[in-house]
Amino acid sequence: MSECIFCNIINKELPSSVVFENDKVLGFKDIDPSAKVHLLFIHKNHSENVNDMVRTDATQVSDVYQAIEQYTAGNSLAADGFRVVTNIGKHGRQDVFHTHFHVLGGEKLTGNLGN
Ligand code: 5GP
Ligand code: ZN
């Protein structure tokens, strides 16, 4: 087992509800959803946050966004709209230090982006 829970989810050592997978990216349901649809998209290569990801290999950001585009284009999310959020560090309220992109939708979200 890795110390990183999302690496364990990638390796299938921890269970998750997978909605998308290719050789680089995994998309799965958030365990504690904040909207009717709340998914997490992660790269299979570990990085701590999106700034760390960009410094390590910026193409990983497009790998994840291409996966989000492919997934959402195949269902009502793209037609109805959705939100992509990535939290960084303490003030960003990041709890899991494997870069992840929240995909939120399935209903009209609140206008609150911060406090
Ligand atoms: P953060 O606050 O780091 O941006 O978001 C972490 C997200 O991961 C939270 O929305 C939380 O519900 C989700 N999460 C934490 N542990 C697990 C887990 O073991 N499985 C799944 N599917 N989601 C998790
Ligand atoms: Zn990890």
Side-chain angles (χ1 to χ4, degrees):
M1 277 265 216
S2 162
E3 281 180 16
C4 171
I5 52 172
F6 287 180
C7 281
N8 290 325
I9 284 175
I10 290 163
N11 297 332
K12 308 285 186 325
E13 287 173 330
L14 281 179
S16 71
S17 295
V18 173
V19 299
F20 178 96
E21 183 163 17
N22 65 19
D23 56 333
K24 293 175 181 162
V25 177
L26 188 73
F28 55 101
K29 292 184 182 175
D30 195 291
I31 205 168
D32 183 18
S34 298
K36 273 193 185 153
V37 174
H38 187 173
L39 308 172
L40 301 171
F41 278 74
I42 62 178
H43 204 280
K44 291 186 175 179
N45 292 323
H46 180 92
S47 60
E48 273 210 3
N49 59 46
V50 70
N51 275 4
D52 182 33
M53 176 181 267
V54 168
R55 282 192 298 265
T56 308
D57 178 6
T59 64
Q60 292 180 14
V61 180
S62 55
D63 291 339
V64 177
Y65 268 89
Q66 278 171 17
I68 292 171
E69 189 281 331
Q70 274 176 37
Y71 177 76
T72 57
N75 59 50
S76 61
L77 281 170
D80 294 336
F82 60 98
R83 182 176 288 161
V84 181
V85 176
T86 191
N87 295 325
I88 302 176
K90 189 167 66 174
H91 280 190
R93 297 247 178 199
Q94 184 180 7
D95 290 323
V96 177
F97 291 87
H98 181 125
T99 311
H100 52 281
F101 296 80
H102 299 260
V103 171
L104 299 146
E107 62 185 323
K108 191 158 189 184
L109 303 171
T110 73
N112 298 341
L113 277 181
N115 283 332

